């Protein structure tokens, strides 16, 4: 089955299917001179399974664990069931408060204030249980170029729920640290770059953008700088192909200017930010440990950012 048929059969995007292949979750055969992928019925079934599990907020690492060891399925699903029950409890409490408010039509300001305080408490609890809470909250708290910068640079690491006291404390400290940082007025050129990145993200779709960033993060996390001559040839070919794609040089130039600006202005990101993010994101820890190796040469950079 060709990629177009696989997309139609599973309802997944091309990039998502290629990404799952890159992670080793499926293994299509390659045929012909152009190495067209051929997806078997087994690949299609696995893609449908991945889609269903992702809809339940099961992480890709957990999904890989299930495929490697089917006995892990029950443990993961039981853990997921507990999380769902907690969400149901929060929603039930929220529902009861709203019903109480509706039955107290014309109630005094004191009781209204108490009910709204309760409602706010449960709405916040429900939001924090969401894996995208931190990302959305940073954009809401800092509705400016700074918020966009945070989302572009660190959004992929802010996809875990705040589900422990340690994370709760780290999140509060992170927000307070960012809020107390001196306000930086970005130059027009940097604001323009941030806006263009956001326009590109909106055009391609946030899911596709997140998938690309996730792939790069995974490449850095599992990075090895032992690159054979054969692999260098493959990387060079991909880099040459990418350079011929529309908008590549503009994107590369914008990225260089943005990261150079951040390097020249280290006060933008507070020193303690990384410490708190390490508590909030396991993925961030892995990336930080391999970051310098991944940017050592054109081949290591190509391997990190390489495309399918």
């Amino acid at each position: 089955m060709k990629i177009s048929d696989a997309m139609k059969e599973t309802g997944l995007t091309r990039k998502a299917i290629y990404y799952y292949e890159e992670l080793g979750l499926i293994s299509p055969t390659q045929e012909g001179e152009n190495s067209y992928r051929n997806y078997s019925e087994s690949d299609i079934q696995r893609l449908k399974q991945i889609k269903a599990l992702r809809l339940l907020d099961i992480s890709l690492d957990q999904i890989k664990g299930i495929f490697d060891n089917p006995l892990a399925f029950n443990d993961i699903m039981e853990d997921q069931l507990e999380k769902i029950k907690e969400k149901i409890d929060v929603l039930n409490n929220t529902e009861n408060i709203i019903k109480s408010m509706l039955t107290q039509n014309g109630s005094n300001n004191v009781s209204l204030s108490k009910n709204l305080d309760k409602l706010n408490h449960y709405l916040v609890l429900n939001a924090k249980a969401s894996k995208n809470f931190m990302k959305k909250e940073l954009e809401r708290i800092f509705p400016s170029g700074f918020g966009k910068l945070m989302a572009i640079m660190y959004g992929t690491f802010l996809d875990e729920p705040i589900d422990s006291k340690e994370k709760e404390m780290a999140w509060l400290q992170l927000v307070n640290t960012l809020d107390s940082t001196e306000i930086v007025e970005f130059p027009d050129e940097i604001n323009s770059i941030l806006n263009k990145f956001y326009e590109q993200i909106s055009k391609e779709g946030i899911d596709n953008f997140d998938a690309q960033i996730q792939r790069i993060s995974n490449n850095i996390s599992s990075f090895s700088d032992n690159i054979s001559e054969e692999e260098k040839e493959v990387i060079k070919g991909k880099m040459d192909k990418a350079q011929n794609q529309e908008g590549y040089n503009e994107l590369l130039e914008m990225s260089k200017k943005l990261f150079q600006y951040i390097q020249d202005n280290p006060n933008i990101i507070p020193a303690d930010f990384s410490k708190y993010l390490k508590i909030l994101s396991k993925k961030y820890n892995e990336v930080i440990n391999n970051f310098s190796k991944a940017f050592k040469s054109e081949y290591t950079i190509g391997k990190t950012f390489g495309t399918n």
Side-chain angles (χ1 to χ4, degrees), residues 161-183:
I162 300 178
D163 52 7
S164 70
K165 288 289 184 184
E166 184 185 25
K167 282 187 175 181
E168 177 81 33
M169 184 60 67
W171 169 249
L172 291 174
Q173 290 172 322
L174 181 142
V175 170
N176 288 335
T177 299
L178 290 177
D179 200 29
S180 61
T181 301
E182 182 181 350
I183 296 175

Side-chain angles (χ1 to χ4, degrees), residues 91-105:
L91 289 173
N92 283 336
N93 284 322
T94 303
E95 180 186 25
N96 290 334
I97 293 170
I98 293 174
K99 283 181 177 178
S100 175
M101 292 170 69
L102 290 173
T103 58
Q104 295 175 17
N105 189 23

Side-chain angles (χ1 to χ4, degrees), residues 157-203:
F157 306 116
L158 299 171
D159 62 351
E160 295 182 23
I162 300 178
D163 52 7
S164 70
K165 288 289 184 184
E166 184 185 25
K167 282 187 175 181
E168 177 81 33
M169 184 60 67
W171 169 249
L172 291 174
Q173 290 172 322
L174 181 142
V175 170
N176 288 335
T177 299
L178 290 177
D179 200 29
S180 61
T181 301
E182 182 181 350
I183 296 175
V184 177
E185 293 293 337
F186 294 133
D188 290 342
E189 183 181 32
I190 299 302
N191 272 322
S192 176
I193 288 173
L194 290 170
N195 288 331
K196 284 181 180 178
F197 271 128
Y198 248 66
E199 287 173 13
Q200 189 66 28
I201 292 168
S202 300
K203 188 192 302 181

Side-chain angles (χ1 to χ4, degrees), residues 51-286:
K51 184 179 180 182
L53 291 168
R54 290 296 289 138
L55 287 172
L56 289 172
D57 277 343
I58 307 295
S59 72
L60 288 173
D61 284 341
Q62 288 177 311
I63 291 173
K64 193 173 189 308
I66 290 171
F67 291 157
D68 291 340
N69 177 21
L71 294 176
F73 177 76
N74 283 353
D75 290 338
I76 290 173
M77 294 306 289
E78 284 178 7
D79 181 59
Q80 195 66 20
L81 188 59
E82 284 301 312
K83 292 178 181 177
I84 290 172
K85 286 178 179 177
E86 289 174 7
K87 290 180 182 179
I88 291 173
D89 288 341
V90 171
L91 289 173
N92 283 336
N93 284 322
T94 303
E95 180 186 25
N96 290 334
I97 293 170
I98 293 174
K99 283 181 177 178
S100 175
M101 292 170 69
L102 290 173
T103 58
Q104 295 175 17
N105 189 23
S107 61
N108 60 50
N109 288 334
V110 175
S111 61
L112 177 62
S113 178
K114 286 181 178 178
N115 281 327
L116 285 175
D117 284 344
K118 288 181 185 176
L119 184 60
N120 179 64
H121 172 73
Y122 284 110
L123 288 176
V124 170
L125 279 180
N126 190 42
K128 287 181 179 178
S130 166
K131 67 175 186 176
N132 289 317
F133 168 77
M134 291 189 287
K135 186 175 184 179
K136 291 176 181 177
E137 191 68 359
L138 275 186
E139 292 181 48
R140 186 190 68 79
I141 295 172
F142 305 104
S144 61
F146 184 76
K148 290 179 180 178
L149 179 66
M150 289 290 101
I152 290 170
M153 289 187 62
Y154 300 104
T156 191
F157 306 116
L158 299 171
D159 62 351
E160 295 182 23
I162 300 178
D163 52 7
S164 70
K165 288 289 184 184
E166 184 185 25
K167 282 187 175 181
E168 177 81 33
M169 184 60 67
W171 169 249
L172 291 174
Q173 290 172 322
L174 181 142
V175 170
N176 288 335
T177 299
L178 290 177
D179 200 29
S180 61
T181 301
E182 182 181 350
I183 296 175
V184 177
E185 293 293 337
F186 294 133
D188 290 342
E189 183 181 32
I190 299 302
N191 272 322
S192 176
I193 288 173
L194 290 170
N195 288 331
K196 284 181 180 178
F197 271 128
Y198 248 66
E199 287 173 13
Q200 189 66 28
I201 292 168
S202 300
K203 188 192 302 181
E204 293 186 358
I206 191 66
D207 288 342
N208 284 339
F209 175 76
D210 283 345
Q212 291 177 43
I213 300 299
Q214 176 74 41
R215 174 179 55 78
I216 292 170
S217 297
N218 286 342
N219 286 351
I220 296 175
S221 298
S222 59
F223 189 81
S224 170
D225 52 4
N226 294 322
I227 304 176
S228 67
E229 291 302 317
E230 291 79 9
E231 192 175 6
K232 284 183 179 180
E233 286 298 318
V234 172
I235 292 170
K236 186 69 166 61
K238 288 182 177 181
M239 291 166 65
D240 291 342
K241 182 180 178 181
Q243 288 174 8
N244 294 323
Q245 292 179 353
E246 183 181 355
Y248 173 84
N249 289 326
E250 182 187 11
L251 180 65
L252 183 63
E253 193 60 32
M254 287 195 303
S255 299
K256 285 180 178 178
K257 287 181 179 178
L258 180 59
F259 283 103
Q260 186 60 52
Y261 178 77
I262 294 168
Q263 282 186 328
D264 293 342
N265 297 271
N267 59 311
I268 294 175
I269 311 296
D272 286 342
F273 178 83
S274 182
K275 177 176 70 177
Y276 300 133
L277 191 53
K278 284 180 179 179
I279 297 172
L280 294 164
S281 173
K282 295 177 184 176
K283 192 192 311 174
Y284 181 73
N285 263 323
E286 295 169 351

